[in-house]
Amino acid sequence: RCGSVRSCRRMSTGDDEDILKRKQERIRRKLEEKEVPSSAFQRMFGFGTMAASMAFQSAGDRFMGNQGGSGAMSDAVAETFTKELCRMRGAALKVGQILSLQDSQNLPPSLAKALEKVRTEANVMPKWQLREVLEKELGENWETKFKEFDMEPFAAASIGQVHQAVALDGRKIAVKIQYPGVADSVDADMANLQRLLQLGQFIPKGLFLDRVINTAKEELAYECDYIREAENQSRFADLLKKFGHTPNSKLNIPEILPDISTSRILSSEWVDGEPVDRLVSDGVSQKLRDSVADRMLSWVIKEVFQFRLVQSDPNWSNFLYDEETDTLNLIDFGATNEYSKEFIDKYLRLVWACAEKDRVKILRTSKEIGFLGGKESPAMISAHIEAAYVMGEPFAADNQPFDFSTFKHSERMAKQGQVFLKERLVPPPKEVYTLHRKLFGAISTCVKLKAKVDCRERLEEALKNPLK
């Protein structure tokens, strides 16, 4: 694993070693050390500072004529917002990440651009604060529990940072350490952030910010519980053994080390690999990209429709491809959600209706699930149908294997998204925020890889052995 992308490929020559070192140094320069505001007062003060800075810049922008109409956000204000999210971390940064992954096409352009940074550029704890956390969780003699421990983190995210270490048994491991105060400040952070965004009118009403906030709050509570994450990682590992392996589909989930894990520290086996989105720029062949995309999408489909247990964070860095062993490593199971058979059955009917372009079934199932309330305008109905056709296209029978290299799903969805912002009467069902994000993320990954995958066959395969 390496830097904000979690991992880097193993190198075999001296020149490659130099390239790797330069890559690590370049990434580490992005990880700026700043104390995590851990007390209630510090975090409240942090949000107050953020609000004051944004208000001051907005006033200056209006005076200079650099800001558009009401609710517009200038580049400078968006940059301040993102910078403060990275400093505050925790709930604030989590909302930014959810918006950047799920609704970026419907956000003000300046905000969407700035939020791209929040997925990889969180600040890290200073060394003294890191030691405080380690001592609190593992005891004053925490160093004796590792053979080696690198105090320089190689990755930082919304609620924690990751360090490389060597266990006492000699295994190379990754140690995820939660920022202090994050778990205890979720509710207050969410309330402060919602108030800030609503007062500034930075988020369109059609995005139903309150629903995004509630989803993020629930998701963050899950992610803050590393014991729960360890249990889910083990559950997925068991499912992988039963359903995931085929001769041509190597997948791996790293093992948890419970003796050096707590509710705030999670230690697991180290895995090598490149985030899958890097494979195109790395010059990987079409055949290999197709294979990786096929494995990734097949696993996602099994999660949703077969296991009904979904790791709902579609970040590309959670899928690491190790070319040396031809293995796709799956990591980070904090944002794991479980769904009822009743809901997934309806969701599956909707996916099939989208693939078949069956307008009647799309509308009927959308009402059953809660996408539509029954009193939508003709414009909203039309936009909903068109969006459904777009998302069903990869699974259509006459499109297999589906060529993602020409699939402009984001652009096409964005057109309908503008209608949703104005015409949507009810927010999407709670479950859909995570399910859609996962499926949309998987499709986006296939697009990024310019892959060709028989999506319909993978969906049919998962349905042959559903869990009871």
Side-chain angles (χ1 to χ4, degrees):
R1 302 187 182 190
C2 175
S4 62
V5 296
R6 309 281 218 291
S7 175
C8 53
R9 185 179 304 169
R10 283 178 292 195
M11 303 295 183
S12 58
T13 68
D15 290 342
D16 287 340
E17 295 270 354
D18 290 339
I19 293 172
L20 174 56
K21 288 179 182 178
R22 288 197 297 272
K23 180 188 289 187
Q24 290 174 324
E25 289 172 0
R26 184 168 62 251
I27 291 172
R28 280 181 172 169
R29 280 197 295 271
K30 291 182 179 180
L31 300 178
E32 184 179 355
E33 283 190 5
K34 286 190 177 179
E35 180 183 354
V36 180
S38 56
S39 70
F41 175 77
Q42 284 177 318
R43 298 193 72 79
M44 182 177 67
F45 182 79
F47 277 103
T49 301
M50 184 195 303
S53 298
M54 293 173 66
F56 180 78
Q57 285 186 317
S58 292
D61 287 333
R62 284 193 294 271
F63 179 76
M64 297 298 293
N66 295 331
Q67 188 169 5
S70 176
M73 181 182 280
S74 71
D75 290 344
V77 174
E79 187 67 27
T80 296
F81 180 58
T82 303
K83 183 179 179 181
E84 289 301 309
L85 288 184
C86 290
R87 185 181 68 84
M88 293 294 291
R89 283 151 283 193
L93 187 56
K94 185 66 183 179
V95 171
Q97 291 173 334
I98 288 177
L99 289 171
S100 73
L101 282 166
Q102 181 165 305
D103 294 307
S104 60
Q105 68 267 28
N106 297 324
L107 293 172
S110 57
L111 179 57
K113 181 180 178 181
L115 284 177
E116 280 295 309
K117 297 180 181 180
V118 306
R119 281 187 262 172
T120 57
E121 293 188 15
N123 300 139
V124 299
M125 290 181 279
K127 303 295 188 301
W128 66 265
Q129 196 171 37
L130 170 62
R131 290 190 181 92
E132 281 188 353
V133 176
L134 287 165
E135 288 179 6
K136 181 179 180 181
E137 293 299 318
L138 298 177
E140 292 183 0
N141 64 340
W142 67 269
E143 290 175 295
T144 64
K145 299 185 179 183
F146 301 93
K147 195 172 183 179
E148 296 177 18
F149 188 94
D150 188 352
M151 292 295 289
E152 291 292 337
F154 66 84
S158 58
I159 66 170
Q161 60 194 49
V162 191
H163 293 254
Q164 184 181 103
V166 177
L168 294 179
D169 61 10
R171 280 186 292 175
K172 191 176 175 183
I173 61 174
V175 183
K176 182 160 65 171
I177 303 170
Q178 192 172 125
Y179 301 130
V182 166
D184 300 326
S185 63
V186 172
D187 289 346
D189 276 10
M190 290 298 184
N192 286 325
L193 185 62
Q194 184 171 3
R195 192 176 301 114
L196 173 65
L197 292 172
Q198 287 175 334
L199 287 175
Q201 299 181 340
F202 296 127
I203 303 296
K205 292 182 179 180
L207 284 182
F208 294 96
L209 179 62
D210 56 339
R211 184 62 67 92
V212 173
I213 292 288
N214 289 334
T215 299
K217 188 187 298 185
E218 183 177 291
E219 207 168 283
L220 195 64
Y222 289 157
E223 291 190 47
C224 285
D225 185 353
Y226 285 176
I227 293 176
R228 179 183 184 275
E229 179 174 351
E231 291 171 349
N232 281 322
Q233 190 160 326
S234 297
R235 289 178 70 185
F236 275 110
D238 290 339
L239 289 168
L240 177 60
K241 291 176 183 177
K242 293 178 182 178
F243 301 99
H245 286 292
T246 66
N248 298 316
S249 180
K250 292 184 180 179
L251 299 171
N252 176 61
I253 294 175
E255 182 182 342
I256 296 293
L257 282 73
D259 291 343
I260 43 178
S261 295
T262 71
S263 61
R264 300 292 182 261
I265 290 180
L266 184 63
S267 301
S268 63
E269 286 183 318
W270 181 274
V271 292
D272 289 294
E274 282 280 2
V276 290
D277 65 305
R278 297 284 183 89
L279 299 185
V280 174
S281 60
D282 284 353
V284 173
S285 69
Q286 180 72 51
K287 182 178 180 181
L288 190 51
R289 283 186 279 118
D290 291 347
S291 172
V292 171
D294 189 6
R295 281 179 253 181
M296 181 276 304
L297 185 61
S298 177
W299 179 256
V300 169
I301 287 173
K302 287 177 180 178
E303 282 189 23
V304 175
F305 298 110
Q306 188 175 354
F307 309 152
R308 303 190 300 278
L309 183 70
V310 180
Q311 187 279 74
S312 57
D313 182 357
N315 194 310
W316 288 319
S317 297
N318 291 336
F319 296 91
L320 304 171
Y321 178 66
D322 184 357
E323 188 173 2
E324 186 173 321
T325 61
D326 187 29
T327 300
L328 184 61
N329 293 298
L330 314 176
I331 65 170
D332 200 345
F333 296 90
T336 296
N337 291 272
E338 198 162 6
Y339 304 89
S340 69
K341 185 177 185 302
E342 179 184 8
F343 186 86
I344 292 299
D345 285 348
K346 292 178 181 177
Y347 193 66
L348 175 59
R349 289 203 299 273
L350 180 59
V351 171
W352 277 119
C354 294
E356 298 297 316
K357 288 192 172 183
D358 190 325
R359 179 186 176 91
V360 173
K361 287 184 179 179
I362 289 173
L363 291 176
R364 182 172 66 238
T365 311
S366 294
K367 290 177 183 177
E368 289 178 9
I369 289 179
F371 269 116
L372 301 174
K375 297 182 180 180
E376 282 75 15
S377 67
M380 177 62 195
I381 293 295
S382 177
H384 182 78
I385 291 294
E386 289 302 315
Y389 288 168
V390 172
M391 295 309 291
E393 202 169 299
F395 301 100
D398 57 353
N399 281 343
Q400 306 305 317
F402 188 77
D403 186 354
F404 284 96
S405 66
T406 58
F407 190 41
K408 306 297 183 183
H409 67 303
S410 291
E411 294 87 338
R412 292 164 63 188
M413 289 292 286
K415 293 179 181 179
Q416 314 312 324
Q418 296 305 311
V419 179
F420 295 159
L421 294 180
K422 298 176 182 177
E423 302 286 342
R424 188 187 290 280
L425 299 179
V426 295
K430 170 186 165 185
E431 296 90 342
V432 166
Y433 278 88
T434 48
L435 286 175
H436 261 30
R437 194 161 82 241
K438 182 71 174 196
L439 282 178
F440 193 85
I443 288 172
S444 296
T445 300
C446 290
V447 171
K448 185 76 173 179
L449 292 174
K450 301 179 180 179
K452 296 179 181 179
V453 181
D454 194 325
C455 304
R456 192 179 183 92
E457 182 179 353
R458 297 295 167 259
L459 186 58
E460 290 172 342
E461 285 175 356
L463 301 180
K464 292 177 182 176
N465 299 299
L467 297 181
K468 303 299 182 183

